[in-house]
Amino acid sequence: MYGLSLTWHWSVGTLIFLIVLSALYLIALKQAKVRTVKNTPDGLDTPVKTRHVIAFFSAIAIMAILLLTPIDTIARTQLFSVHMAQAVLLTTLCAPLMLFACPASLLRPLIALPVIGSVLRTLTRPLVASITFNLLFLLWHTPRLYHIALSYGTLYHVELLSIFVAALLNWWPLIGSVRELHQMSYPMQMLYAFFDGQPVDIFAFVLVFTGTTLYPYYAIPAQLGISPFADQAVGGALLLIPGLIDLVVMSPLFFRWLGQIEQQTKLRDQRRQERADVEEYEEYYEDDEEGVEERSESK
């Protein structure tokens, strides 16, 4: 082994997956252009814009680079850290980009279908989405199953693509565009973002601090000068990035919550002031009526 592999992994299944995904998006995009905002249930859905299309095809391009180039060969045969870079980019970059690319005006016809809508409502429930993603991610990275996946390129891509789809469901309660599928208050969203990342963070710490190489299946090029455990530790460090992103996501949620509290306080104060004004007016009117009655009696 004289260096990092330059072998391209042309996975037919992955190529078909990306092409079909792109075709479905283009079909939905064409149908969305026919509809107007007035045709949506509440008239407030964001229409599909250029930035949404750019986000979608950026995600497709990144996925193609990660899965159909020598990067994939290196991740499967030489460096575990590159595998973790694949997983992190798919789950924390490609998945959010894909959800951002699908505003409600694009997804509502899909959600309206009885079977698909029911399945999505179930899978995007916060608890279900979190358990599905974390369980799937950890299950695929058990040493035995992971070794089998490394031995077969197609199965390895099934692993990564299934984790990507689970990440879409996992992000939905926070940034999914169809609001009725993820009705959570800001405090609940912050709790979701915090607790959702804990299982993967614990796994990342195990990779970094266990002192044992869990995946001794990689042929690391000697000239890189790194040990299998050092490669694993780097992978574990990369896996901590999603946890940091969760903290970043929690910050705007916290400030939105504060803004919501401030707005509600102002509204309550305004209503209280309006009631006080009404009571003052009624009291003045009653006093004025009593004065009129007294003057009429004196006459």
Side-chain angles (χ1 to χ4, degrees):
M1 191 67 63
Y2 296 101
L4 294 177
S5 175
L6 297 178
T7 303
W8 288 65
H9 182 199
W10 289 105
S11 172
V12 177
T14 300
L15 191 60
I16 291 174
F17 176 84
L18 295 178
I19 291 173
V20 169
L21 202 60
S22 300
L24 291 175
Y25 186 79
L26 290 175
I27 292 172
L29 190 64
K30 183 177 179 180
Q31 293 177 347
K33 287 184 178 179
V34 177
R35 300 187 299 270
T36 62
V37 175
K38 293 181 180 179
N39 291 328
T40 60
D42 54 13
L44 297 175
D45 286 345
T46 302
V48 182
K49 298 183 179 180
T50 303
R51 63 175 180 267
H52 297 126
V53 179
I54 292 175
F56 179 85
F57 286 103
S58 295
I60 292 292
I62 294 170
M63 292 177 68
I65 292 171
L66 291 174
L67 300 176
L68 300 175
T69 68
I71 292 175
D72 184 72
T73 305
I74 295 169
R76 192 164 54 87
T77 62
Q78 294 183 309
L79 292 174
F80 176 77
S81 55
V82 176
H83 161 73
M84 276 304 170
Q86 279 182 308
V88 169
L89 287 172
L90 285 173
T91 57
T92 62
L93 179 60
C94 294
L97 278 175
M98 199 76 75
L99 285 181
F100 173 77
C102 298
S105 57
L106 196 71
L107 292 178
R108 283 196 187 279
L110 182 65
I111 304 299
L113 297 175
V115 176
I116 296 178
S118 178
V119 171
L120 281 177
R121 284 182 177 85
T122 300
L123 294 180
T124 55
R125 291 176 180 174
L127 185 60
V128 174
S130 181
I131 291 176
T132 300
F133 173 76
N134 284 288
L135 190 61
L136 193 65
F137 190 94
L138 296 177
L139 182 63
W140 273 116
H141 286 91
T142 55
R144 177 180 288 273
L145 188 56
Y146 186 66
H147 187 204
I148 296 174
L150 291 179
S151 302
Y152 302 95
T154 300
L155 184 59
Y156 180 74
H157 278 193
V158 170
E159 171 193 346
L160 290 175
L161 291 176
S162 63
I163 289 174
F164 166 74
V165 172
L168 290 175
L169 301 175
N170 198 40
W171 277 102
W172 195 299
L174 294 176
I175 61 175
S177 59
V178 183
R179 303 300 300 178
E180 53 265 31
L181 292 187
H182 57 102
Q183 293 179 343
M184 288 197 300
S185 63
Y186 288 128
M188 290 302 297
Q189 287 180 344
M190 287 187 288
L191 287 174
Y192 176 81
F194 176 76
F195 286 108
D196 175 65
Q198 296 305 304
V200 172
D201 286 346
I202 293 172
F203 176 60
F205 281 113
V206 170
L207 293 176
V208 174
F209 296 110
T210 186
T212 304
T213 303
L214 300 179
Y215 310 107
Y217 319 120
Y218 285 91
I220 302 175
Q223 57 266 47
L224 293 182
I226 60 174
S227 66
F229 178 73
D231 177 43
Q232 175 180 297
V234 172
L238 290 173
L239 193 55
L240 289 172
I241 292 176
L244 298 176
I245 292 178
D246 288 338
L247 294 177
V248 173
V249 170
M250 289 170 64
S251 299
L253 290 175
F254 177 73
F255 287 111
R256 288 178 185 176
W257 182 37
L258 290 182
Q260 186 182 63
I261 293 175
E262 183 180 1
Q263 184 178 5
Q264 291 174 349
T265 302
K266 289 182 178 179
L267 184 60
R268 285 196 297 267
D269 291 342
Q270 181 179 354
R271 289 176 178 174
R272 190 180 299 112
Q273 183 62 43
E274 289 175 353
R275 286 197 298 268
D277 291 341
V278 170
E279 291 174 358
E280 183 179 355
Y281 174 79
E282 290 177 348
E283 183 179 350
Y284 173 80
Y285 184 75
E286 290 175 357
D287 291 342
D288 187 60
E289 283 186 339
E290 291 177 358
V292 171
E293 291 177 358
E294 290 177 355
R295 286 194 297 272
S296 61
E297 290 176 357
S298 62
K299 290 181 181 180

